[in-house]
Amino acid sequence: MTTAATKDAGDGTRALIFALLALACGHMLSTLLRTIPAVSLDLMAADFHIEPQALASLTSVYPFAFAAAQIPVGAAMDRFGVRPVALSLLAGTVIGAIASGFATGPASFAVRQVLLGVATSGMLMCPMTLAAKQLSAGRFGLWSGAILSIGNIGMLLSSSPLAFVVDTWGWRAGFWISAAGGIAVALAVFALVPHQAAEHKDDSSPLSQMIEVLRLGLSRPLRGLIALALVSLASSLVLRGLWGGPWLMQVKDLSRVEAGNQLGAFTLAMIAGPLCIGMIDRRLGRRRALVAASHIVGALLLALMALGAPHFAVSVLFGMPMMPPQYDLVLFVLIGLATSAQPLLFGMSRQLVDAQTAGKALAAVNLAFFLGAALMQSVTGAVAALAGLPAVLLFMAAMLAFGVLIFLAYTSPNP
C-alpha cells in the first residue's frame, strides 16, 4: 500500500513538472517575441519608412498592453483555471505573431503588437499560479527561479539564431517561426496541463481588483519595492530587447550575427543570474542590502558602457577612438548578472504584507515590472532621438540608481 502511494505521489510530481515545463515554454515564447526588435529594428524601420527611434517608441505599445492585461488575466485564471486561460492566450499569441509578420506599416504593426502584448501577458503568471497552488513555499521558491530562467531562454533564441534568420529570410520570418513555436507550446499545454476546477477566490470585477492592487502598491510598506520594480526589470529588458542590438551595430560597427552573439552572452548571464543571486541570498541572509547593491552595480555598469562610446570619458581615458566590442561583451555579462535580483523583490513583498494580501502584493510588483518596462521603452525612444544611444544608457543608469535610493529610503528599518 505504501509502495503504491509512493508511486502515485511520484507520478503526480512528474506530471506537475511536465505541466510547469510546458507552461514555462509559453513564457519563453513571450520573451522571444518581446525581443525580436533588438536585432531587426533597422530592417523593420526601413520597411515601414520610419526612423528607427520612432519605431522603438512605437514598440512600447507591446509592454503597455502586457502590463494593462496583468490583473484581468489573473482574475480569469481564478475564475476559469490555468489550462483554459493558457490555451486561449496561446491562440491569441499565434494569431498575433502571424499578423505581425504581415504588417505593412507602423499603424498595422502597432495594432498587432497590442494583440501580442495582451496575449502574452499571462505567460509568466500561468506557470507561477499553477506552482503556487500545487507546491510548498520552499519548492515554489525554487520553481519560480527556474520558470524565470526557462523564460529567459527565449531571449537566447532571439540573439544569434534570430539574427541568422533575419539575415537569411528577413525580419518577418522571426514572427512566423514564433507562431509555429506557439502552436507547439499549445499542443504541449493541451496534453500535459491538468484540468482544475476554478476556485472563484475573488468575484469582484477586474476594475475593482486593479484598484485594490494599485492601492496596495502605493501603500507605505511596498512603496520602495514598487519604485525599484519600475526600473529593475525595465533596465535589463529594454537593453536586451531593444537598444542592445542598435548599440552594437550602429555604435560599435558589429554585424547582425556578431551583435547577436554578444546579446546571446548577455542572455546566458540573465538565465544564470537569478539562480546565482538566490544562492547568495540564502548564504548572506541580507536581502535588502543584496538587492540594493546589485542594482547599484548594474547602474554603474550601464554608465561605463555608455562612456565607452566614441569620444566619451572611458574611451578618452584609455586613449582609444572607442572601447572595443570585447569591453561591451564583458559589461553585458556583468549587467545580466547584476540585474537578476528581481525574484528577491517578490520574496520581500510577501514578507512585508499579511497572508490575505500576499497575492495582491505579488500582482502589484509584477505590474510594476512590466509597466516600468513599457515606460522605459517609450521614454528611451525619445531620448535616443534627441541625444543618441549613449544618452539612452546614461538615462537608464540614472533611473536605476534613483530607484535604489527610493527603495533604501522606504525599506529602512529605522523610520
Side-chain angles (χ1 to χ4, degrees):
M1 190 71 173
T2 303
T3 303
T6 303
K7 183 177 182 299
D8 289 342
D11 291 343
T13 300
R14 280 193 295 273
L16 177 60
I17 289 173
F18 284 129
L20 289 173
L21 290 175
L23 292 168
C25 286
H27 180 42
M28 180 172 65
L29 179 66
S30 170
T31 59
L32 168 62
L33 286 164
R34 187 188 300 121
T35 52
I36 285 178
V39 293
S40 57
L41 189 68
D42 56 333
L43 297 178
M44 294 166 65
D47 267 8
F48 297 155
H49 306 292
I50 186 176
E51 289 296 319
Q53 292 87 350
L55 182 59
S57 294
L58 187 64
T59 59
S60 66
V61 298
Y62 183 119
F64 272 118
F66 191 105
Q70 291 292 311
I71 306 304
V73 168
M77 278 190 279
D78 274 343
R79 292 170 186 266
F80 306 112
V82 171
R83 187 174 187 267
V85 171
L87 290 172
S88 300
L89 293 175
L90 284 164
T93 300
V94 171
I95 294 170
I98 293 173
S100 293
F102 284 107
T104 56
S108 62
F109 183 71
V111 172
R112 289 152 173 81
Q113 287 289 285
V114 170
L115 173 57
L116 275 177
V118 173
T120 58
S121 62
M123 296 305 186
L124 175 58
M125 284 195 293
C126 283
M128 289 290 194
T129 300
L130 183 64
K133 290 179 178 180
Q134 299 290 319
L135 299 176
S136 64
R139 294 184 68 200
F140 173 73
L142 172 66
W143 269 98
S144 62
I147 289 166
L148 289 171
S149 293
I150 292 169
N152 285 341
I153 294 174
M155 288 188 279
L156 189 64
L157 296 175
S158 68
S159 55
S160 300
L162 179 64
F164 174 78
V165 168
V166 170
D167 271 344
T168 306
W169 295 293
W171 66 267
R172 298 176 189 273
F175 285 103
W176 294 333
I177 291 173
S178 298
I183 295 172
V185 173
L187 292 173
V189 168
F190 183 82
L192 298 173
V193 177
H195 295 274
Q196 287 183 322
E199 297 184 7
H200 302 287
K201 287 185 177 178
D202 190 346
D203 289 325
S204 60
S205 69
L207 177 60
S208 64
Q209 292 179 37
M210 176 72 80
I211 293 171
E212 277 299 310
V213 168
L214 294 176
R215 184 181 294 118
L216 183 61
L218 294 173
S219 66
R220 180 65 171 77
L222 290 187
R223 207 170 293 165
L225 273 68
I226 295 299
L228 185 54
L230 283 168
V231 294
S232 173
L233 188 64
S235 61
S236 54
L237 281 187
V238 173
L239 178 62
R240 172 59 187 85
L242 186 60
W243 295 117
W247 172 263
L248 292 169
M249 290 186 284
Q250 296 173 19
V251 177
K252 297 305 176 85
D253 299 322
L254 296 186
S255 70
R256 196 177 310 278
V257 172
E258 289 171 336
N261 290 337
Q262 289 217 13
L263 294 178
F266 182 22
T267 306
L268 287 173
M270 293 175 68
I271 292 171
L275 301 176
C276 294
I277 291 286
M279 288 187 288
I280 295 172
D281 175 53
R282 285 193 294 273
R283 284 184 176 272
L284 290 182
R286 297 172 60 86
R287 182 167 291 177
R288 175 177 177 267
L290 178 59
V291 168
S294 62
H295 283 88
I296 282 291
V297 169
L300 177 62
L301 294 169
L302 281 167
L304 287 174
M305 181 176 286
L307 296 176
H311 313 301
F312 275 66
V314 174
S315 299
V316 172
L317 179 65
F318 283 90
M320 306 177 71
M322 67 178 180
M323 295 302 290
Q326 291 83 357
Y327 171 80
D328 299 273
L329 175 60
V330 172
L331 289 177
F332 271 126
V333 171
L334 293 177
I335 290 169
L337 294 173
T339 58
S340 294
Q342 292 93 9
L344 300 185
L345 292 176
F346 282 121
M348 290 185 71
S349 70
R350 295 183 69 175
Q351 292 172 336
L352 290 172
V353 298
D354 56 36
Q356 287 75 20
T357 55
K360 287 185 173 63
L362 293 176
V365 174
N366 199 42
L367 179 61
F369 278 144
F370 293 106
L371 179 61
L375 291 170
M376 184 79 79
Q377 188 165 326
S378 181
V379 173
T380 52
V383 172
L386 290 172
L389 293 181
V392 168
L393 299 183
L394 290 173
F395 174 80
M396 292 168 62
M399 290 297 99
L400 199 55
F402 185 57
V404 172
L405 291 178
I406 298 177
F407 169 79
L408 289 174
Y410 277 99
T411 57
S412 172
N414 300 314

